[in-house]
């Protein structure tokens, strides 16, 4: 079965410092990996995805993530955090072996990012 | 429309009642998904439509849950004999490419 682990319930970082939100996954075959962000009382917003190719993926709002196959990780990073980045972040993996291209997602439990001024 | 629209945004119902939650996807998106997000958890897959048909309903928790998409656009998630454990935010998403969804803001269902 596919699964995603986000080991940190909360990450605290000062504005201007780099941030990392961790994600590891378990899936058979080659994974499709995603990061979403959720602001209070709003839906999930897509940040970035890894399908294939370059292991470093760049996404919205200056975020990036690095796919590491040997460590089965897909950590989210940003070189310089903003207070406005404070939100709930979800890592997700798509089950493989589905050939339709339309993938259901398995989400982690989320990590709350708190950026202090 | 410009985004995925879900109505109502909030629904409070009594235990045992029937509820319907509506999702209006982005125009032209053929794939539509329902997820459920309980407090402190990530979204959990419920059902996926490709056009009018349910391509995968493996996430529906039991036969009290049912969803339809009769014309391949708007979808309705129906919950019969609601239980307090059904309280959650129900999220709808749509997709055209298959590798990234657009989510709606969700319907917060509270069963009292």
């Amino acid at each position: 079965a596919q699964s995603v682990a986000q080991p940190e319930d909360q990450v605290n970082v000062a504005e201007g410092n780099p941030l990392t939100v961790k994600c590891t996954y378990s899936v058979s075959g080659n994974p499709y990996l995603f990061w979403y962000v959720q602001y209070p009382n709003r839906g999930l917003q897509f940040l970035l995805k890894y399908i294939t190719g370059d292991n470093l993926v760049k996404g919205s709002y200056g975020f990036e993530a690095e796919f590491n196959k040997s460590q089965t990780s897909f950590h989210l990073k940003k070189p310089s955090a903003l207070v406005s980045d404070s939100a709930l972040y979800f890592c997700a993996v798509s089950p493989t072996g589905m050939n339709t291209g339309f993938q259901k997602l398995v989400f982690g439990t989320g990590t709350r990012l708190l950026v202090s001024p | 429309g410009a985004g995925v629209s879900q109505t109502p945004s909030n629904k409070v119902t009594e235990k045992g009642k029937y509820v319907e939650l509506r999702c209006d996807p982005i125009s032209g998106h053929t794939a539509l998904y329902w997820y459920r997000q309980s407090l402190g958890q990530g979204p959990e897959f419920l059902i996926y439509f490709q056009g009018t048909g349910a391509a995968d309903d493996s996430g529906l928790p039991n036969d009290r849950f049912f969803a339809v998409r009769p014309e391949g656009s708007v979808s309705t998630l129906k919950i019969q004999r609601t239980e307090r454990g059904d309280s959650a935010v129900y999220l709808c998403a749509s997709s055209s490419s298959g590798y990234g969804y657009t989510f709606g803001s969700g319907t917060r269902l509270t069963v009292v």
Side-chain angles (χ1 to χ4, degrees):
Chain A
Q2 295 80 20
S3 65
V4 174
Q6 293 183 244
E8 304 152 316
D9 289 337
Q10 183 163 311
V11 169
N12 298 302
V13 64
E15 188 173 35
N17 284 358
L19 69 88
T20 300
V21 182
K22 295 180 181 177
C23 171
T24 58
Y25 64 89
S26 173
V27 66
S28 57
N30 296 318
Y32 301 149
L33 295 157
F34 302 81
W35 276 101
Y36 284 83
V37 59
Q38 188 173 40
Y39 296 98
N41 299 316
R42 296 177 64 179
L44 290 158
Q45 296 179 32
F46 171 78
L47 277 180
L48 51 79
K49 66 179 183 288
Y50 172 83
I51 303 298
T52 187
D54 194 345
N55 289 344
L56 184 64
V57 178
K58 294 189 183 295
S60 307
Y61 313 120
F63 283 93
E64 58 188 29
E66 186 165 13
F67 171 60
N68 187 317
K69 189 173 184 178
S70 63
Q71 297 185 4
T72 62
S73 68
F74 190 57
H75 300 331
L76 182 70
K77 300 183 180 186
K78 187 173 182 181
S80 179
L82 300 172
V83 172
S84 58
D85 292 331
S86 299
L88 192 54
Y89 290 81
F90 289 96
C91 182
V93 66
S94 174
T96 56
M98 298 172 68
N99 57 11
T100 64
F102 294 101
Q103 310 286 354
K104 66 182 181 183
L105 298 179
V106 175
F107 285 85
T109 52
T111 297
R112 186 165 301 282
L113 174 66
L114 192 59
V115 182
S116 55
Chain B
V4 178
S5 175
Q6 291 189 247
T7 54
S9 56
N10 281 283
K11 176 70 176 179
V12 180
T13 191
E14 292 180 347
K15 179 175 177 294
K17 297 290 189 182
Y18 168 83
V19 296
E20 290 189 350
L21 312 180
R22 176 188 168 106
C23 173
D24 199 339
I26 292 174
S27 179
H29 280 192
T30 56
L32 185 146
Y33 302 78
W34 283 99
Y35 285 77
R36 178 168 72 173
Q37 186 175 15
S38 300
L39 194 63
Q41 300 296 316
E44 294 178 304
F45 171 79
L46 294 177
I47 186 170
Y48 147 55
F49 287 90
Q50 175 65 288
T52 60
D56 184 349
D57 64 358
S58 61
L60 294 177
N62 51 60
D63 62 6
R64 295 188 296 106
F65 289 75
F66 189 70
V68 296
R69 195 186 185 198
E71 297 179 356
S73 178
V74 171
S75 176
T76 305
L77 178 66
K78 307 180 181 192
I79 311 174
Q80 298 176 322
R81 304 183 304 280
T82 51
E83 300 177 356
R84 293 196 177 87
D86 299 335
S87 296
V89 176
Y90 289 81
L91 296 167
C92 177
S94 68
S95 172
S96 62
S97 68
Y99 296 120
Y101 303 166
T102 300
F103 279 90
S105 298
T107 294
R108 182 176 300 278
L109 176 66
T110 304
V111 182
V112 297

